[in-house]
Amino acid sequence: MTENRNIRDQLRAADYVADDALSTALQLAINLKRPLLLEGEAGVGKTEVAKALASIMQTNLIRLQCYEGLDAAAAIYEWNYQKQLLYIKASEREDKTASQVEQHIFTEDFLLERPLLQAIGQEISPVLLIDEIDRADEEFEAYLLEILSDFQITVPELGTITATSVPHVILTSNGTRELSDALRRRCLYSYVDFPSQARELEIILSRVPDIEAGLADQISRFVLNLRKEELEKNPGVAETLDWAAALVGLKISSLDGDLETIQSTLICLLKTETDLKSITKEVASRLLGKAA
């Protein structure tokens, strides 16, 4: 419990407000040297966890952003073909055999390291963020299994490269598709939900300079109730912070003020036409009343 509280305090010093469940998950992932899979809706702060962890551990953050069609060349390594061609052309003027040339162009001199290979080659354990793994194809997950189990990568021309230091791995998923059991077994797991009103208030106060406590409290209550409306896209923590910064910039110190002006700033929170139209003046007034 002491260690958990310690890491929670360290994260707080790095402007990340974690609850007990997430603090425990992070502490266990560090102690056991296991990857940590974080699931939850977009905007709850999963990616920020990795950034904060890298900050408190004073190490590099290496990020792999996943997408449909992501392959080994983009995630692990590829050969620098242009540099290889230039070397081959230059070798034509030298007295080198084809075998000698071939042996040299498949060395580390011509290897382009992508995030996964970079991560296992660091002298000091980095934080490796594999962001939105659910966007990658199922085939790509197979690539990850060797890395997450043994922290080694096989390059056919070079052999197996074992991690110099084991990275701290954070995987995030928005739940757009089900992940494989094999991947889940290799990870510790934590679900990251939208913050409670009290925790979101703490986040606002820590991340928005010069905001008045009363306004921050109203904002946290408004957003809490806004997420209970039937929206296409719930506002995330980042949107809350944008709104808070916008209100401070407009010198608005209370949500009890001009309804029309405040409603015009809701574009910081609402990201679709349907959601903008659904929060009418009447709805906004009702929500502001609950936040007061």
Side-chain angles (χ1 to χ4, degrees), residues 248-263:
V248 171
L250 291 171
K251 311 296 184 189
I252 294 175
S253 59
S254 171
L255 296 185
D256 299 328
D258 180 9
L259 171 60
E260 188 169 341
T261 299
I262 292 171
Q263 190 181 23

Side-chain angles (χ1 to χ4, degrees), residues 34 41 143 178 233 253 268 273:
R34 294 283 301 278
E41 289 192 44
Y143 287 123
E178 185 58 41
K233 177 175 171 46
S253 59
C268 298
E273 181 183 9

Side-chain angles (χ1 to χ4, degrees), residues 226-246:
L226 180 63
R227 290 187 184 125
K228 295 177 182 176
E229 300 293 315
E230 292 186 3
L231 300 177
E232 288 186 335
K233 177 175 171 46
N234 275 323
V237 176
E239 283 76 37
T240 301
L241 294 174
D242 284 345
W243 191 41

